[in-house]
Amino acid sequence: MSALLDVLKDHPVHDYAAGQTVIEQNDATGALYILITGSVEIVKDDILVAKSAEPGAIFGDLAALLGVPHTASVRTLVPSTFHILPDARTILRDHPRLCLHLCEVLATRLDSVNKYLVDVKKQFVGHDHLSMVDQVLDTLMHRHPRPRITPRASTLQDPEVLD
């Protein structure tokens, strides 16, 4: 993880006090937030989803990659420091090591969701309401990304995306 943080050493560091909101659900920043030190909680719709204290943990990735508002809030539990990368797509394009790290993080999350859904399906074999789990699993395993529409053009026409 230190190698990842070394890649980011020239990017500004932002300090947050304990209890401070770093990301607010439904805000649209387009930024990636990378934890350097500290501990945070991730809250979606007022429900605690997870906690993280791992240096290099990435937040805001779904919003930045999909061009949507943040899907959850991130709040500090103790004083914490972050790298905030305001133009996530450009930074990911220019830093393959960071992009690979994010791919690994997302693949790990997807694997966890797949395992969870398979476990749920096993627990409820024979119940009719499991068709939703089948649909979710099918979507996770086979869905291709939709073209991302930006104010200037679609990704299919954006030469930066095709590089």
Side-chain angles (χ1 to χ4, degrees), residues 89 145-150 152-163:
R89 295 182 70 82
R146 289 178 276 145
R148 183 175 172 269
I149 305 300
T150 61
R152 59 189 161 114
S154 76
T155 56
L156 298 175
Q157 299 168 341
D158 188 346
E160 290 180 5
V161 175
L162 299 176
D163 288 339

Side-chain angles (χ1 to χ4, degrees), residues 92-105:
L92 288 169
R93 184 188 67 226
D94 294 344
H95 292 89
R97 185 185 269 164
L98 176 60
C99 189
L100 179 60
H101 175 71
L102 179 56
C103 289
E104 290 169 346
V105 167

Side-chain angles (χ1 to χ4, degrees), residues 2-121:
S2 63
L4 172 66
L5 294 176
D6 285 344
V7 167
L8 301 171
K9 69 180 181 238
D10 295 331
H11 293 275
V13 173
H14 299 267
D15 296 310
Y16 292 87
Q20 198 169 0
T21 298
V22 178
I23 298 173
E24 187 68 48
Q25 182 175 341
N26 296 319
D27 280 358
T29 67
L32 284 178
Y33 300 77
I34 301 175
L35 184 65
I36 302 168
T37 62
S39 180
V40 299
E41 64 181 3
I42 299 92
V43 177
K44 180 171 179 66
D45 299 329
D46 296 321
I47 296 173
L48 178 65
V49 176
K51 292 182 181 180
S52 180
E54 181 181 343
I58 297 179
F59 307 94
D61 45 277
L62 292 179
L65 291 171
L66 298 176
V68 299
H70 292 290
T71 59
S73 295
V74 176
R75 286 188 283 250
T76 58
L77 297 170
V78 300
S80 302
T81 57
F82 286 82
H83 285 294
I84 299 178
L85 311 176
D87 186 3
R89 295 182 70 82
T90 299
I91 289 172
L92 288 169
R93 184 188 67 226
D94 294 344
H95 292 89
R97 185 185 269 164
L98 176 60
C99 189
L100 179 60
H101 175 71
L102 179 56
C103 289
E104 290 169 346
V105 167
L106 293 173
T108 300
R109 290 178 190 167
L110 179 59
D111 184 52
S112 295
V113 169
N114 283 336
K115 287 176 182 175
Y116 173 76
L117 289 172
V118 167
D119 184 55
V120 167
K121 189 172 181 177

